[in-house]
Amino acid sequence: MNVFIKDIELAFTYLFSSPKILVVLIPLYFMAFPIINKFQIVPSKLQTMMEMVYEFLEQQFKILFKKEADYKKWMPFFLALFFYVFFHNIMGIIPTMKPITSDINITASLAIFIFIFSLYIGISKHGLYKYLAHLTPSGIPLAFRTVMFPIEVISSLAKPFSLAVRLFANMTAGHLIIFSMFKLGEMFGNYFVPFDIVIVTTLLLFECFVALIQAFIFSYLSAIYITDMLYMEH
Amino acid sequence: METTIGTGLSHLGAALGMGIASLGGAIGMGILVSKAIESMVRQPEQAGVVRTTMFIGIAFVEAAILYTLVISFILLAK
């Protein structure tokens, strides 16, 4: 389903109908960086960058985990998720390419995977009854809890939806704004070109920032959902 | 594409919805950043933590606006 507005193509699912699917594999190189290049004591430039990113993520994620062993076990997953989403986002700044995460199939499949994964962890670790009881806060009358239960079920189903649409909308919007700025240049003619260059460059830099922030938020929120299921406290 | 009252109204709705959403989002972001700056000035040693939390908050507010953007694109594409 590709939607056209005037001549702007709004591709909801462009990826799976073309051989571009191979670019999904590019982030795998960066994710496999520690395996391909052994870490050295005196770091190279790329390694220093990776270490800076890792230290920032460690500082943010460590608070979520109650036990050191859990942190050791789960951190590689979230780190991989972060780099996967980040390199997909940053691909949009290469000319003629779109960020792959501006396809809702990719973001929705990641989000649904994380939702099912968190459900599995919650139910297998604490049992189905405790999981259902956890949905509503304890310590309030039973009548309230029965009224609140359907609302809480809907709100927990909305989690993967918001996770998917947030990333998709951010990436699509940034790309479309740059595109419409180029269209504006065509409309106003040659006098507009210097302004256009400045505006588009600024927007591209902003896009890099948004790509980083959105990748962080995606992995951070999925960490919150999973640790919530891991400890289940109320 | 032939222009009917229906398509005209849906285009109007898309533009109005986007405007209202960005109005609310802008007010929210203004409050968020002003409070963050206030707390950064009061406690400069916590500035790093506040800044990170502020950016996460801004991204959430922005996401709420962008949900409307998706809806208005759906309206436009009809």
Side-chain angles (χ1 to χ4, degrees):
Chain A
M1 184 187 78
N2 283 9
V3 181
F4 286 91
I5 300 168
K6 300 281 165 57
D7 48 351
I8 303 173
E9 187 189 12
L10 244 198
F12 282 98
T13 58
Y14 72 99
L15 183 70
F16 287 101
S17 56
S18 75
K20 275 184 186 168
I21 188 138
L22 283 176
V23 288
V24 176
L25 298 174
I26 295 174
L28 290 180
Y29 168 72
F30 293 96
M31 284 156 67
F33 177 78
I35 306 167
I36 298 167
N37 308 305
K38 286 266 176 278
F39 278 137
Q40 281 128 20
I41 296 169
V42 181
S44 62
K45 274 178 193 163
L46 193 57
Q47 191 185 329
T48 319
M49 255 171 65
M50 295 296 238
E51 279 176 6
M52 269 168 65
V53 173
Y54 177 73
E55 272 165 18
F56 170 73
L57 290 176
E58 186 185 36
Q59 185 196 341
Q60 298 293 325
F61 279 76
K62 216 164 191 176
I63 314 160
L64 295 174
F65 292 94
K66 298 266 183 314
K67 288 178 225 139
E68 182 76 19
D70 280 341
Y71 171 77
K72 284 254 163 64
K73 188 179 165 193
W74 285 100
M75 192 57 191
F77 171 65
F78 295 122
L79 208 60
L81 195 63
F82 172 81
F83 278 112
Y84 189 72
V85 176
F86 174 63
F87 283 109
H88 276 177
N89 289 349
I90 208 79
M91 238 176 244
I93 65 164
I94 302 169
T96 75
M97 279 179 80
K98 283 179 181 175
I100 303 177
T101 39
S102 72
D103 182 342
I104 201 159
N105 281 324
I106 293 276
T107 56
S109 51
L110 278 174
I112 289 169
F113 163 69
I114 284 158
F115 177 66
I116 292 172
F117 196 39
S118 73
L119 270 184
Y120 167 73
I121 291 162
I123 292 172
S124 70
K125 241 184 150 63
H126 301 275
L128 186 63
Y129 176 74
K130 208 186 164 199
Y131 168 73
L132 291 177
H134 167 78
L135 282 174
T136 50
S138 56
I140 56 170
L142 192 68
F144 275 144
R145 291 185 82 162
T146 38
V147 174
M148 273 177 79
F149 186 73
I151 303 170
E152 291 292 329
V153 169
I154 292 169
S155 91
S156 72
L157 285 176
K159 275 177 187 175
F161 177 76
S162 71
L163 203 62
V165 174
R166 180 180 297 119
L167 187 58
F168 160 73
N170 265 291
M171 288 302 119
T172 314
H175 217 69
L176 270 175
I177 286 169
I178 291 171
F179 188 78
S180 47
M181 280 299 151
F182 276 127
K183 283 280 161 193
L184 216 60
E186 277 177 28
M187 274 161 64
F188 283 105
N190 287 335
Y191 298 111
F192 194 72
V193 168
F195 299 105
D196 215 20
I197 291 170
V198 174
I199 291 169
V200 169
T201 314
T202 320
L203 281 174
L204 273 175
L205 287 175
F206 185 67
E207 270 306 284
C208 298
F209 178 66
V210 167
L212 189 68
I213 288 280
Q214 286 304 320
F216 171 66
I217 286 196
F218 193 89
S219 54
Y220 190 69
L221 276 181
S222 48
I224 286 178
Y225 296 155
I226 286 176
T227 48
D228 190 40
M229 287 293 120
L230 214 56
Y231 301 117
M232 274 199 191
E233 51 189 20
H234 257 311
Chain B
M1 187 171 66
E2 61 184 297
T3 313
T4 59
I5 294 177
T7 54
L9 280 178
S10 72
H11 285 198
L12 187 68
L16 269 181
M18 200 58 234
I20 294 168
S22 30
L23 177 74
I27 292 171
M29 261 189 227
I31 295 170
L32 205 156
V33 175
S34 79
K35 290 280 176 193
I37 291 172
E38 210 171 272
S39 54
M40 269 191 246
V41 172
R42 279 195 188 162
Q43 284 183 309
E45 67 271 15
Q46 289 289 310
V49 181
V50 173
R51 194 177 298 124
T52 319
T53 321
M54 184 188 80
F55 279 128
I56 296 169
I58 284 179
F60 278 121
V61 174
E62 207 178 55
I65 304 171
L66 289 171
Y67 293 152
T68 320
L69 185 74
V70 173
I71 300 290
S72 40
F73 275 136
I74 292 169
L75 279 179
L76 281 183
K78 263 174 76 178

